[in-house]
Amino acid sequence: GMDAYCVSMSNAEGPAMRAVREKMVSTPWADEWESKRTMFSYGEEMSTDPLEAMMLKQFVHMARPKRILEVGMFVGFGAVAMMEGSPSSRVVSLEIDPYLKKWLSDCLQKFPDIAKRHEIEVGPALESLPKLTGQFDMVFVDANKSEYKRYVEVMLERDLIAPGG
């Protein structure tokens, strides 16, 4: 369809994005789940869609946010896309599964310029959000859909969104 065409015509996937995507498709997710290494049964469909990731990368490239909050990381494809979009942007990702923090850290060892701008807070987002300090210029929410409204409420209550963010 149209998404596949747009992705095939784009050159927006940089080297770190490619490394994350290639590791994601080669990870035996069912085995990881059966071995109790992951908290949930995952698959590639859990990741930020390639076209969506390219769009996020472009938004960051245009807006140049200093600090981005990502609620729900999975393998970090979206976070890495956003950091590729601007060499000065920092991303704080909230992720419930500690396995995924290590998975991405291992994947980004060859990309220290990306890794040093990424902070991952492990735990349920509604527990992590109140612990955050400072403000964010951009927020990307892609986590437990039933809690979206509460995520935004907590961000507003805690003044986490910068003016114009």
Side-chain angles (χ1 to χ4, degrees):
M2 185 57 80
D3 283 9
Y5 172 77
C6 290
V7 170
S8 72
M9 292 290 115
S10 173
N11 62 356
E13 184 180 77
M17 286 176 71
R18 186 174 308 106
V20 171
R21 183 181 49 76
E22 288 174 353
K23 182 177 179 183
M24 177 185 65
V25 298
S26 67
T27 297
W29 294 109
D31 295 345
E32 297 297 273
W33 167 242
E34 283 179 32
S35 302
K36 306 273 188 257
R37 286 190 280 274
T38 61
M39 289 178 70
F40 304 100
S41 174
Y42 299 126
E44 293 171 40
E45 71 283 352
M46 303 281 295
S47 179
T48 301
D49 176 81
L51 189 60
E52 188 176 274
M54 291 176 194
M55 184 181 70
L56 286 170
K57 183 175 180 174
Q58 187 62 36
F59 286 162
V60 170
H61 179 74
M62 293 185 301
R64 299 276 190 223
K66 289 185 195 86
R67 230 170 146 223
I68 302 166
L69 174 61
E70 177 185 49
V71 181
M73 181 187 78
F74 185 48
V75 295
F77 191 59
V80 169
M82 291 186 283
M83 287 182 286
E84 279 190 358
S86 171
S88 60
S89 295
R90 301 183 65 80
V91 175
V92 175
S93 296
L94 307 185
E95 174 52 53
I96 196 167
D97 194 338
Y99 170 92
L100 295 170
K101 179 177 182 175
K102 181 177 182 340
W103 186 98
L104 182 60
S105 296
D106 292 348
C107 187
L108 293 180
Q109 283 181 347
K110 295 177 185 168
F111 305 95
D113 55 317
I114 297 278
K116 72 181 180 190
R117 294 185 287 124
H118 193 209
E119 178 185 334
I120 303 168
E121 296 293 332
V122 175
L126 289 176
E127 289 178 19
S128 299
L129 278 168
K131 297 175 188 172
L132 297 176
T133 57
Q135 291 187 316
F136 295 89
D137 305 297
M138 183 174 162
V139 177
F140 175 53
V141 180
D142 190 15
N144 183 347
K145 311 302 183 236
S146 66
E147 295 180 338
Y148 274 26
K149 182 174 184 266
R150 187 65 193 133
Y151 296 153
V152 173
E153 289 170 349
V154 173
M155 286 178 220
L156 294 172
E157 289 164 10
R158 306 267 314 139
D159 196 29
L160 295 175
I161 302 172

